[in-house]
Amino acid sequence: MPIQYHKSSQTFHLYNQKISYIFKVLKNQQLGQLYYGKRVNDREDFDHLFETIQRPMAPCAFEGDLTFSLEHIKQEYPAYGSGDMRHPAMDIIQENGSHIVHFTYQQHQIIAGKPSLENLPATYVENNQEATTLLITLFDEVIQTKIILSYTIYEDLAVITRNAYCQNCGSQNLILNQMMSMSLDLPDKDYEMIELTGAWSRERHIQNRKLEHGIQSIYSLRGCSSNNFNPFIALKRPMCNEYEGEVLGFSLVYSGNFLAQVEVDTYNVSRVTMGIHPHAFTWPLNPGESFQTPEVVMVYSNCGLNQMSQTYHELYQKRLARGQYRDQVRPILVNNWEGTYFDFNEEKILGIAKTAQKLGIELFVLDDGWFGQRNSDNAGLGDWYPNLEKLPEGISGLSQKIVDLGMRFGIWFEPEMVNKDSDLYRTHPEWTLETPNRHTSHGRNQYVLDFSNPEVVEYIYNMMAKVIEESHITYIKWDMNRCMSEVYSYVHSAQDQGKVMHEYILGVYHLYDKLTTKFPEILFESCASGGARFDPGMLYYAPQCWTSDDTDAIERLKIQYGTSLVYPISSMGAHVSAVPNHQVFRKTPLQTRANVAYFGTFGYELDLNKLSCEEQNEIKEQVQFMKTYREVIQFGTFYRLKSPFEGNETVWMVVSKDQNTAIVGYYRPLQEVNQGYRRVKLMGLDPDKEYHVSIHDIDCYGDELMNAGLITSDSSCGENKDGDGDYLSRLYLLKAK
Ligand code: DGJ
């Protein structure tokens, strides 16, 4: 039984072969945290781990007892104001204006499996043996309100998921001012906090900082999870590296505003809090009403960051993503965006598609510009019907012609947005988010539709469904190109305006849910100006995401490396684009562009007809290579070997599940002169299997490659075909004999 309840000590112990998570009911009936980390033996009580010391000036709960103070007790779901001065997990305003609550243990339930969350994405199980869930009910007698804390432990993974649910069972009108998904008090502060930070076109760069007293946090208040910070943090021990040492990962399955915070108190307790950002959130909780938080996925590793990532990859690939594409290799596509931008007609599109088909590409994706009066980014969003001047036979005619070529057809939508110059806006100006009597900011000339209004979501669904039903669409790129501002919804009362940003995201999830249910054969790729909504919430509906608008191979090294900290290779949209690159104007060899893009869902984003015969032939070979090895790349085990954040070389590799095939990607952006010898120790091979190593054309045992290493030294005259020595890359293919 992976969850034990020890009645005599009122202790809960969640454990599997890898981890233990222990907490108990304290003498004031609140929950106290005792341990989270590597698995320890079970025992009847762990009371010795409960630390209290008499601390001068601390507010104490019991008369005659100077030690029991919430000021310094490690807790599970703390509230502010009854001794604890730290930031709380929840904040409830009552009719008398008070924020003071006292949630005490009422009952618990241990169930096989993992219940789903209503209207919210979450990890899941396929049979009830895969996980066990503990549901603990806490109750506040004064306001007659319950909180249910949910903990799921997976059977074979170092994973615990958490969420919280609150229900007003009394007669007061309450306001939830804050309701976080989790809170965890760790007994020391000897950690570095890792976060994924960035901006448009430099998403998810890895950043580290040492925990200090006070608060360190990352967040989004942009209405989407954002490219500034990803909803993920990890706390690693200072000596922890990719393959050694302890690290705790926290990842929020949510696509809107979030807060991930670590508060280190004066006694060195580190309180991790994660959930919906309390700013711009107020949720009236009237009698009978309830609120469900999103889920946090906690991963533990005592073998470094790479093991943490592999756990996230496995879980997110197999038990977060859903649908028929979850287990399928992804189609190799060509997308016309960087090839044509808005300047296309049917002839041009078919011209690219015909060449793509000859080169072995499987899917043609028609990007922005096919609908309404969309000839620039000034107009058309919201008018989801084909522009017949560009496409005389509409999407149905074009898609039929592409299918006749033997290819699949995919299309771009930006469902959440509207331009003022559109029929939709002219008919329904009240459907945008805007604050009465205030100026409304635009972003890329567009405005945000009020997805907290079910009528809007239904209308957009019907428009999209019509296009889909009339055509042969097997792929949809769902874009979202601005963050929210002046948020206010005309369909909500004044008291309910604090619900709008969360309800907007629920509206997005609802539309995804309707579309994926009605059209299960469609592969969705999420996108938000590249990777501004690359988060686990999106992955539940769309198993892949456009990683970044930056398609430069060298820039992509950092972006894809950082993204791999949490997200699997099968989720990362990666394309070969033209040179000079459209974002940084760099000219990298076609080979290097492919060698980077292979480690993703792979495709092309250029006008194939502008390439030379030589280049087209090279692409044909690349496509063939990817068809042969995409199963290994997208579903194998991924290892980071050398970081682009630490030097001039990046190395990563994938190993097939049967350990018979491995592919090592080696990248050296800048040529160097007369450098020393270099080796890289490989990972994940079978030590006793003999592998043939391409490029060197030698046979080596796995143990030699993992211990002596793979030689990557190169001569200073370079081997880059384009002759300048920079932007070199190599793929080493290892095959067991
Ligand atoms: C932003 C996306 O990231 C691009 O790939 C492209 O689809 C454009 N939007 C189209 O407007």
Side-chain angles (χ1 to χ4, degrees):
M1 186 68 154
I3 299 182
Q4 287 292 340
Y5 175 61
H6 297 293
K7 203 168 171 196
S8 63
S9 60
Q10 289 194 292
T11 300
F12 297 92
H13 186 184
L14 291 70
Y15 63 93
N16 58 26
Q17 289 306 313
K18 296 170 178 159
I19 50 173
S20 281
Y21 189 101
I22 307 169
F23 60 97
K24 71 169 286 158
V25 181
L26 301 173
K27 78 172 182 182
N28 71 345
Q29 299 303 303
Q30 288 182 226
L31 298 179
Q33 158 64 215
L34 298 178
Y35 175 74
Y36 171 45
K38 190 171 157 66
R39 186 236 162 104
V40 295
N41 283 314
D42 189 38
R43 53 189 281 172
E44 197 51 39
D45 77 67
F46 290 88
D47 287 355
H48 57 287
L49 291 177
F50 175 67
E51 286 177 281
T52 50
I53 297 173
Q54 184 177 329
R55 302 209 185 262
M57 302 191 52
C60 295
F62 299 100
E63 295 204 355
D65 178 348
L66 293 174
T67 62
F68 194 98
S69 170
L70 294 174
E71 179 177 338
H72 54 84
I73 286 174
K74 296 181 271 296
Q75 295 162 70
E76 275 302 293
Y77 203 70
Y80 167 80
S82 301
D84 194 335
M85 323 295 181
R86 295 165 289 186
H87 280 70
M90 101 305 265
D91 181 24
I92 303 177
I93 310 179
Q94 296 140 57
E95 277 184 352
N96 65 1
S98 166
H99 293 242
I100 301 302
V101 291
H102 184 50
F103 281 96
T104 56
Y105 170 79
Q106 192 184 48
Q107 60 174 33
H108 74 270
Q109 213 189 339
I110 296 172
I111 54 174
K114 183 174 193 293
S116 56
L117 297 186
E118 210 184 326
N119 303 327
L120 279 167
T123 55
Y124 58 90
V125 291
E126 286 208 326
N127 66 63
N128 284 346
Q129 279 74 58
E130 288 179 8
T132 309
T133 298
L134 167 65
L135 300 166
I136 300 199
T137 306
L138 309 174
F139 200 72
D140 183 308
E141 292 289 346
V142 174
I143 53 173
Q144 292 285 301
T145 292
K146 72 176 169 194
I147 287 179
I148 300 177
L149 299 181
S150 163
Y151 300 77
T152 296
I153 181 164
Y154 275 82
E155 187 73 24
D156 299 319
L157 294 170
V159 171
I160 287 177
T161 66
R162 290 186 57 178
N163 70 72
Y165 167 90
C166 184
Q167 187 179 23
N168 182 350
C169 311
S171 53
Q172 284 195 37
N173 289 323
L174 305 174
I175 295 174
L176 274 186
N177 222 15
Q178 171 173 345
M179 185 83 195
M180 304 305 278
S181 300
M182 59 137 327
S183 179
L184 173 65
D185 287 349
L186 298 165
D188 67 85
K189 70 175 189 58
D190 197 16
Y191 293 101
E192 287 170 14
M193 174 167 141
I194 301 182
E195 65 222 24
L196 297 173
T197 175
W200 175 78
S201 272
R202 60 173 165 82
E203 296 90 343
R204 290 172 300 287
H205 282 208
I206 297 174
Q207 188 167 286
N208 260 19
R209 57 174 122 167
K210 189 172 172 309
L211 288 191
E212 300 289 358
H213 287 133
I215 287 180
Q216 27 268 298
S217 69
I218 58 159
Y219 69 97
S220 170
L221 285 169
R222 294 165 178 266
C224 60
S225 52
S226 93
N227 44 28
N228 300 63
F229 294 109
N230 197 258
F232 162 79
I233 55 170
L235 295 182
K236 78 170 190 69
R237 294 298 186 186
M239 298 307 285
C240 167
N241 58 29
E242 282 289 354
Y243 294 98
E244 290 156 347
E246 193 177 50
V247 56
L248 316 176
F250 303 87
S251 164
L252 183 67
V253 187
Y254 190 59
S255 310
N257 290 348
F258 75 92
L259 175 66
Q261 171 173 298
V262 185
E263 176 174 6
V264 181
D265 73 15
T266 191
Y267 305 114
N268 297 341
V269 171
S270 300
R271 171 169 292 175
V272 184
T273 317
M274 200 175 212
I276 294 178
H277 202 299
H279 189 77
F281 170 91
T282 34
W283 197 274
L285 204 66
N286 297 325
E289 289 180 353
S290 60
F291 182 78
Q292 172 65 60
T293 73
E295 165 174 289
V296 168
V297 176
M298 306 190 338
V299 166
Y300 174 82
S301 159
N302 62 346
C303 295
L305 293 167
N306 215 91
Q307 190 184 70
M308 174 197 74
S309 301
Q310 284 174 7
T311 305
Y312 275 120
H313 293 181
E314 193 175 338
L315 186 71
Y316 284 0
Q317 190 171 56
K318 296 294 180 198
R319 293 293 180 267
L320 177 63
R322 301 169 307 155
Q324 68 182 56
Y325 289 94
R326 184 189 78 176
D327 304 322
Q328 276 177 31
V329 292
R330 304 299 157 71
I332 298 173
L333 64 82
V334 60
N335 175 306
N336 72 307
W337 179 241
E338 286 197 16
T340 67
Y341 295 105
F342 293 109
D343 181 21
F344 63 82
N345 55 24
E346 192 186 87
E347 194 189 341
K348 202 183 223 179
I349 292 301
L350 284 175
I352 299 175
K354 276 179 195 153
T355 308
Q357 189 274 333
K358 279 192 212 129
L359 303 182
I361 294 171
E362 299 157 314
L363 167 69
F364 182 89
V365 178
L366 183 61
D367 210 279
D368 194 355
W370 59 266
F371 50 90
Q373 289 307 307
R374 185 76 168 168
N375 298 313
S376 72
D377 61 19
N378 278 308
L381 288 175
D383 295 345
W384 301 111
Y385 40 82
N387 178 324
L388 297 180
E389 281 157 41
K390 290 184 187 176
L391 308 171
E393 292 177 47
I395 292 300
S396 67
L398 176 66
S399 63
Q400 181 63 57
K401 287 177 192 168
I402 287 183
V403 169
D404 290 345
L405 288 174
M407 292 183 80
R408 295 192 235 166
F409 179 76
I411 199 164
W412 181 98
F413 284 98
E414 192 173 359
E416 301 153 67
M417 299 291 157
V418 68
N419 286 115
K420 280 197 174 166
D421 186 359
S422 68
D423 292 342
L424 178 60
Y425 187 83
R426 282 184 280 272
T427 320
H428 285 295
E430 79 287 4
W431 277 5
T432 56
L433 289 176
E434 59 179 27
T435 304
N437 309 317
R438 303 270 174 206
H439 168 77
T440 309
S441 309
H442 72 91
R444 205 195 186 202
N445 308 308
Q446 65 197 49
Y447 297 83
V448 185
L449 285 174
D450 180 3
F451 262 46
S452 73
N453 177 357
E455 199 187 345
V456 175
V457 174
E458 192 60 24
Y459 176 88
I460 296 293
Y461 169 77
N462 286 330
M463 290 207 97
M464 293 176 76
K466 184 164 185 297
V467 180
I468 298 167
E469 274 160 357
E470 286 172 0
S471 320
H472 302 273
I473 292 172
T474 56
Y475 164 105
I476 287 176
K477 178 176 173 186
W478 176 324
D479 206 347
M480 197 284 290
N481 282 302
R482 62 160 293 184
C483 43
M484 297 187 202
S485 61
E486 292 94 14
V487 173
Y488 186 98
S489 164
Y490 287 116
V491 291
H492 285 73
S493 65
Q495 291 74 22
D496 280 350
Q497 291 301 323
K499 294 166 90 170
V500 174
M501 294 186 95
H502 179 55
E503 287 200 338
Y504 176 99
I505 293 297
L506 295 182
V508 171
Y509 291 152
H510 183 60
L511 181 56
Y512 257 118
D513 202 50
K514 275 184 85 124
L515 289 167
T516 49
T517 307
K518 174 86 179 161
F519 305 106
E521 70 287 358
I522 293 183
L523 168 62
F524 280 82
E525 176 157 341
S526 70
C527 172
S529 296
R533 212 160 58 178
F534 201 129
D535 61 59
M538 285 289 117
L539 278 188
Y540 181 75
Y541 302 99
Q544 58 192 61
C545 177
W546 181 226
T547 312
S548 175
D549 271 352
D550 193 339
T551 55
D552 174 70
I554 303 306
E555 295 282 301
R556 276 293 187 122
L557 291 174
K558 282 186 178 161
I559 295 169
Q560 291 176 207
Y561 193 97
T563 305
S564 80
L565 222 54
V566 189
Y567 305 101
I569 298 299
S570 61
S571 68
M572 288 187 222
H575 300 169
V576 172
S577 62
V579 288
N581 171 267
H582 292 195
Q583 293 77 41
V584 294
F585 316 109
R586 191 178 276 139
K587 280 170 130 180
T588 51
L590 184 51
Q591 187 188 36
T592 291
R593 281 175 272 156
N595 284 351
V596 177
Y598 288 141
F599 290 86
T601 58
F602 198 66
Y604 293 84
E605 179 145 346
L606 39 72
D607 186 343
L608 294 164
N609 293 325
K610 290 192 176 148
L611 302 178
S612 67
C613 279
E614 239 184 20
E615 287 171 317
Q616 289 190 355
N617 285 337
E618 195 173 336
I619 287 182
K620 201 170 181 179
E621 281 170 25
Q622 292 174 351
V623 170
Q624 195 44 54
F625 172 86
M626 191 57 181
K627 282 183 181 165
T628 312
Y629 292 107
R630 63 184 154 181
E631 175 84 40
V632 175
I633 295 175
Q634 291 170 358
F635 297 103
T637 310
F638 184 73
Y639 296 87
R640 291 179 297 268
L641 303 178
K642 267 188 185 224
S643 167
F645 297 98
E646 287 166 14
N648 188 29
E649 287 174 310
T650 300
V651 190
W652 56 46
M653 69 183 288
V654 283
V655 183
S656 64
K657 294 277 181 239
D658 62 9
Q659 292 175 301
N660 282 334
T661 310
I663 300 170
V664 180
Y666 171 87
Y667 312 89
R668 197 229 38 214
L670 292 180
Q671 173 67 299
E672 297 160 316
V673 174
N674 203 17
Q675 281 300 312
Y677 294 114
R678 290 170 187 186
R679 289 181 191 200
V680 58
K681 291 184 181 180
L682 303 189
M683 296 295 296
L685 302 174
D686 182 333
D688 301 321
K689 276 187 184 153
E690 203 178 6
Y691 293 86
H692 178 262
V693 183
S694 72
I695 300 181
H696 295 322
D697 196 18
I698 52 166
D699 297 332
C700 294
Y701 280 101
D703 59 357
E704 190 188 326
L705 290 163
M706 293 193 289
N707 294 303
L710 173 78
I711 291 177
T712 59
S713 314
D714 62 83
S715 72
S716 53
C717 44
E719 49 185 277
N720 174 346
K721 272 203 233 160
D722 291 357
D724 61 8
D726 289 341
Y727 318 131
L728 173 94
S729 71
R730 298 187 207 121
L731 281 194
Y732 296 90
L733 182 60
L734 277 57
K735 283 195 160 178
K737 294 184 49 169

